[in-house]
Amino acid sequence: TMRSGYTEKKMNGKVIALKFGTNAFCELCDMYGVEFYEMDKALKKPTGTRDLIFCAARMAALSSGKKVTFNKYQIGDWLDDMTQDDYKDILKAMNTTKIIGREIDVKEESK
């Protein structure tokens, strides 16, 4: 079964879990110093999507009791090198996100 806002991808030979949910969005808001309703300000930044993906990976690791072995810059390089299909899978996970049981609509800004 597919978990809400969840996917796994291989990065540098390791499987990295991505969980887009309450923890990831809270982390992104804290990172940018914005309230949840202002999150679009963070996502409109050139690094906003990368940072959301980093937050999803970091929070998935921490909530599973794993050590975080990557940083946001490694995530950025990984995104640059991944296939379009892998990126589509991540966007699909973003679009199945629920925060505190409620579905939200996450859209990547067009460039």
Side-chain angles (χ1 to χ4, degrees):
T1 63
M2 185 174 168
R3 292 172 51 194
S4 170
Y6 183 87
T7 191
E8 294 177 344
K9 292 294 165 190
K10 200 168 202 174
M11 179 177 96
N12 294 333
K14 296 180 187 175
V15 175
I16 303 292
L18 303 169
K19 176 68 171 98
F20 298 94
T22 303
N23 294 330
F25 286 96
C26 180
E27 183 81 357
L28 182 72
C29 289
D30 288 350
M31 182 185 284
Y32 280 86
V34 298
E35 297 295 326
F36 181 73
Y37 68 88
E38 301 173 305
M39 193 172 40
D40 63 321
K41 290 180 182 178
L43 293 173
K44 286 180 181 177
K45 302 263 186 200
T47 56
T49 300
R50 178 211 59 194
D51 290 343
L52 176 56
I53 292 168
F54 167 71
C55 290
R58 185 172 183 270
M59 293 298 104
L62 291 175
S63 70
S64 297
K66 296 178 182 172
K67 184 177 177 182
V68 177
T69 60
F70 50 83
N71 60 47
K72 64 184 179 181
Y73 305 106
Q74 290 169 309
I75 294 289
D77 288 344
W78 171 58
L79 291 170
D80 291 343
D81 295 338
M82 76 174 22
T83 67
Q84 190 63 34
D85 286 341
D86 281 343
Y87 193 70
K88 284 179 185 177
D89 288 345
I90 292 171
L91 294 180
K92 183 178 177 183
M94 280 186 202
N95 289 325
T96 63
T97 295
K98 290 184 182 177
I99 296 186
I100 311 176
R102 297 175 61 187
E103 292 182 13
I104 65 165
D105 188 20
V106 178
K107 291 187 175 120
E108 181 183 23
E109 288 292 315
S110 56
K111 296 175 174 66

